[in-house]
Amino acid sequence: MSVNEPTSLAMPRSRVIGAYLEEARSECLRYMRAPGFMLPIMLFPAMFYLLFGVLMAKSNGADAARYLLASYGVFGVMSPGLFGFGVSLALERDGGLLTFKRALPMPPGAYLLGKMLMAMAAAGGVILLLLTMAVSLGHVTLGPLQAGALLLTGMLGVLPFCALGMFVGTLIKGQGAPGMLQLIYLPMSFMSGLWMPLPMLPKFLQQIAPIWPSYHLDMLAMAAVGLNKEALLPHVLVLVGFAVGFLLLAARRLRRNG
């Protein structure tokens, strides 16, 4: 090739797709091989659901069992989004790994796509575990379409919490990220009516529940199991807006501060 001949810096499409897939695979494998990350994400919601959704709800009827399956499913889905993004991003910023990844010849967005797919896979694992417990231990009756709708709701519903976790991960150091995210995760779950029905909460908490993304995801989960007949589009739009808003805020901070 002549030195004057223009060269193309664009990667072939197949190599770009391969780079995205490889980053996603390595990210998923990294977290699946980290029991300190995966075990709490899987076992924490399962323990809560076993105690409150199976053992304590047997005498409250089929609707109560399905209600608790949906609400604790949302509770479990929030965790891989918040902690999978927030804690890991904060630690990787502290350790310089994020700067190193930026220097690699990888497509922009592959890093985030890998983490998103990891969070979606973990969320799917949580929902499948709770579905298994609900059917085998709680004797919950769900049709295949209802079970599939709940699984899809959980896997897509993790994305707004990925965006929130990503934003928090840009704000604080790695050592402080788990504590800060717990202060977001647990109160938000309670105030959204995930641990007990909203009518049982104080009036003030009922009124502010719609400001939390977990409330809107819970409404979608309730619809998936046949307990919510209201329009779903407003809840979807709120979650999409929440995800896009925090993603843009996080991207802005990363561009400024690395």
Side-chain angles (χ1 to χ4, degrees), residues 47-68:
M47 178 185 67
F48 269 74
Y49 180 68
L50 178 63
L51 180 61
F52 297 104
V54 175
L55 299 180
M56 297 181 64
K58 284 187 175 180
S59 60
N60 294 327
D63 283 353
R66 284 188 292 158
Y67 178 96
L68 291 169

Side-chain angles (χ1 to χ4, degrees), residues 74 77 127 148-158 217 220-222 224:
V74 173
V77 159
I127 295 296
L150 184 61
L151 178 62
L152 183 63
T153 298
M155 293 184 70
L156 294 178
V158 74
L217 184 58
L220 297 180
M222 293 296 171

Side-chain angles (χ1 to χ4, degrees), residues 1-14:
M1 178 185 298
S2 169
V3 293
N4 295 322
E5 184 177 344
T7 58
S8 174
L9 299 179
M11 294 175 62
R13 181 175 299 180
S14 60

Side-chain angles (χ1 to χ4, degrees), residues 17-29:
I17 294 174
Y20 276 108
L21 293 177
E22 182 60 28
E23 180 66 17
R25 186 188 71 83
S26 63
E27 194 72 21
C28 290
L29 286 177

Side-chain angles (χ1 to χ4, degrees), residues 16-123:
V16 173
I17 294 174
Y20 276 108
L21 293 177
E22 182 60 28
E23 180 66 17
R25 186 188 71 83
S26 63
E27 194 72 21
C28 290
L29 286 177
R30 183 158 70 99
Y31 283 99
M32 296 300 176
R33 291 171 177 172
F37 172 75
M38 290 304 301
L39 286 180
I41 282 179
M42 301 297 291
L43 297 182
F44 196 46
M47 178 185 67
F48 269 74
Y49 180 68
L50 178 63
L51 180 61
F52 297 104
V54 175
L55 299 180
M56 297 181 64
K58 284 187 175 180
S59 60
N60 294 327
D63 283 353
R66 284 188 292 158
Y67 178 96
L68 291 169
L69 170 62
S71 62
Y72 278 108
V74 173
F75 174 64
V77 159
M78 293 166 63
S79 183
L82 290 173
F83 294 94
F85 257 83
V87 176
S88 65
L89 179 61
L91 291 172
E92 287 166 7
R93 286 178 63 235
D94 287 353
L97 180 60
L98 189 57
T99 303
F100 173 72
K101 281 182 173 286
R102 284 176 172 176
L104 294 176
M106 58 189 293
Y111 170 79
L112 294 182
L113 178 64
K115 286 192 177 298
M116 281 194 328
L117 291 178
M118 175 277 301
M120 292 175 68

Side-chain angles (χ1 to χ4, degrees), residues 157-188:
V158 74
L159 297 179
F161 301 98
C162 290
L164 176 57
M166 180 181 175
F167 178 65
V168 173
T170 66
L171 294 176
I172 55 180
K173 298 292 185 181
Q175 291 184 341
M180 177 60 69
L181 288 166
Q182 287 288 3
L183 290 176
I184 296 172
Y185 178 42
L186 298 180
M188 185 190 294

